[in-house]
Amino acid sequence: MKRILTGDRPTGPLHLGHFVGSLRNRVRLQNDFDTFIIVADVQALTTHWESPELLKTHVQEVALDNIAAGLDPEKVSIFVQSMVPQIAELTVFFGLYTTVSRLRHNPTIKTEAKQYGYTDMTYGFLGYPVSQAADILFCRAELVPVGEDQLPHVEVTRFVARRFNELYGQVFPEPQAKISDVSRLIGLDGNAKMSKSLGNAIYLKDDPSEIRKKVMSAVTDPARIHKTDPGHPNICTIFAYHKAFNAAEVPEIEECCTKGTTGCVACKKNLMAKLEETLAPIRERRAEFDKPGRVEEILRAGTGRAVAAGTETMEMVREAMQTDYWKER
Ligand code: TRP
């Protein structure tokens, strides 16, 4: 079976943006691929190095979000990045031939640097896409289901693999990104991206009353004051969510909004019902796995499988790079 690798930074609970951009795809693909899910704690530290005390909770939370969303821990390997030393080793080797200018031109890095207000960048932050290449290549994954903001990083990974193979011999596949049909979800405030730091997110673990509050206060078409005013669905947050969670009714909703026959409140209520269809089973699975020690046990098992895959890859890498000094030939 071909391998998939994808994952998240443990900087807080996962939201609907993660779900639509990547989580939903992971769940669909888990039966057809050998799936590795990384909880990228080292990557989280590239921006949050001053608060390591938050890691343990966030690692557990992100793992549980993935399981609750429908990943089967018997089938997929969910693991912690920092517990797989082969990823750190590969990061060093990949950094040998990846230039600083390639990293500086990465649009996602530029956006994030601006967002965090960096006037200078740490070596670790600028280089995290190289580390992410190691996240993907340590198990020789071929497919990477991600949201579109991750495409520049997958490009770096493809470069890293291709160049390694040219320099030292064929070891790595050149992995493909797999972008979902709805690869980005706008925030409740109409901001381009749902994100924890913007405070405009619905979390997978939110309960129905929280979701109700959030949906009811979400921004719709500002030009639509009365129910009968013709609406502009394409600038409406709620319509974007219908596209992501209620595809079947989209043509009808578009028509009723444009003609002014359905009001925003009814449209929001309809959306809440559809969100519940997605979120209620996730809540149930969360309760099932949210038992003392259960998530840790899953992470330990997954990390063990990741280390085994990494050990196999490092043997190939050491041979290719002629650093297998003590090996009998
Ligand atoms: N950069 C990803 C994010 O911010 C998380 C991540 C780390 C990742 N390593 C990865 C995603 C490897 C895909 C593959 O969401």
Side-chain angles (χ1 to χ4, degrees):
M1 252 205 275
K2 286 187 178 180
R3 280 187 179 150
I4 277 184
L5 185 130
T6 186
D8 317 278
R9 292 180 198 187
T11 51
L14 300 184
H15 52 61
L16 291 183
H18 296 111
F19 184 76
V20 165
S22 173
L23 230 45
R24 186 156 73 172
N25 248 341
R26 298 175 196 176
V27 174
R28 284 187 194 136
L29 294 164
Q30 66 179 326
N31 296 319
D32 301 324
F33 291 85
D34 181 16
T35 300
F36 283 87
I37 302 294
I38 189 166
V39 183
D41 60 337
V42 182
Q43 192 174 113
L45 287 170
T46 64
T47 51
H48 292 67
W49 64 86
E50 287 169 313
S51 21
E53 71 282 0
L54 299 177
L55 278 176
K56 191 168 181 178
T57 309
H58 287 163
V59 165
Q60 296 255 343
E61 199 162 47
V62 163
L64 186 55
D65 275 332
N66 269 279
I67 300 161
L71 286 179
D72 178 353
E74 303 281 321
K75 273 188 215 139
V76 308
S77 306
I78 308 176
F79 69 96
V80 181
Q81 182 187 19
S82 66
M83 300 301 279
V84 180
Q86 293 82 6
I87 292 176
E89 287 182 63
L90 285 175
T91 302
V92 173
F93 290 149
F94 294 162
L96 300 175
Y97 56 84
T98 305
T99 63
V100 173
S101 66
R102 179 179 296 274
L103 296 171
R104 291 174 74 90
H105 289 123
N106 183 311
T108 298
I109 289 285
K110 285 193 201 166
T111 308
E112 288 174 348
K114 207 178 283 168
Q115 191 184 316
Y116 287 105
Y118 293 157
T119 46
D120 193 5
M121 273 180 237
T122 64
Y123 167 64
F125 176 77
L126 178 67
Y128 90 69
V130 178
S131 167
Q132 185 158 331
D135 296 344
I136 295 168
L137 294 174
F138 88 95
C139 66
R140 284 162 287 130
E142 292 179 62
L143 200 67
V144 189
V146 278
E148 63 185 3
D149 61 320
Q150 297 297 304
L151 283 179
H153 301 343
V154 178
E155 271 318 304
V156 171
T157 303
R158 291 169 61 81
F159 160 79
V160 162
R162 200 181 323 122
R163 194 74 188 117
F164 184 99
N165 294 341
E166 281 166 12
L167 286 164
Y168 307 116
Q170 180 68 37
V171 171
F172 296 109
E174 227 179 281
Q176 296 258 344
K178 185 170 169 62
I179 302 289
S180 51
D181 13 320
V182 184
S183 72
R184 178 159 49 92
L185 197 62
I186 63 176
L188 290 161
D189 54 358
N191 197 299
K193 199 179 163 187
M194 183 175 280
S195 113
K196 188 180 62 124
S197 48
L198 297 172
N200 62 6
I202 296 176
Y203 294 99
L204 293 183
K205 64 174 194 181
D206 280 351
D207 61 41
S209 74
E210 269 166 303
I211 293 170
R212 198 190 143 75
K213 254 186 270 162
K214 289 179 178 179
V215 171
M216 281 306 173
S217 63
V219 177
T220 55
D221 175 4
R224 211 176 164 203
I225 297 156
H226 305 292
K227 183 182 145 180
T228 49
D229 293 343
H232 306 86
N234 287 321
I235 59 161
C236 177
T237 309
I238 298 298
F239 186 64
Y241 292 6
H242 276 294
K243 282 191 193 159
F245 294 96
N246 185 20
E249 288 178 28
V250 159
E252 192 187 326
I253 291 167
E254 187 164 20
E255 194 185 323
C256 294
C257 176
T258 315
K259 288 189 178 158
T261 53
T262 307
C264 294
V265 173
C267 191
K268 284 180 166 181
K269 284 193 175 148
N270 181 16
L271 177 69
M272 278 190 286
K274 294 301 178 313
L275 286 179
E276 270 309 288
E277 280 174 27
T278 298
L279 293 174
I282 293 180
R283 227 172 274 131
E284 263 168 49
R285 263 179 80 78
R286 178 185 306 277
E288 188 186 321
F289 285 92
D290 196 3
K291 306 269 158 64
R294 185 78 178 98
V295 173
E296 184 174 320
E297 189 187 327
I298 289 167
L299 283 172
R300 276 176 188 268
T303 302
R305 292 194 286 267
V307 168
T311 305
E312 213 180 275
T313 301
M314 280 315 293
E315 253 178 57
M316 297 162 76
V317 165
R318 288 189 172 283
E319 186 181 336
M321 294 189 77
Q322 303 174 50
T323 57
D324 53 347
Y325 305 114
W326 324 135
K327 197 175 165 193
E328 307 268 341
R329 284 179 197 277

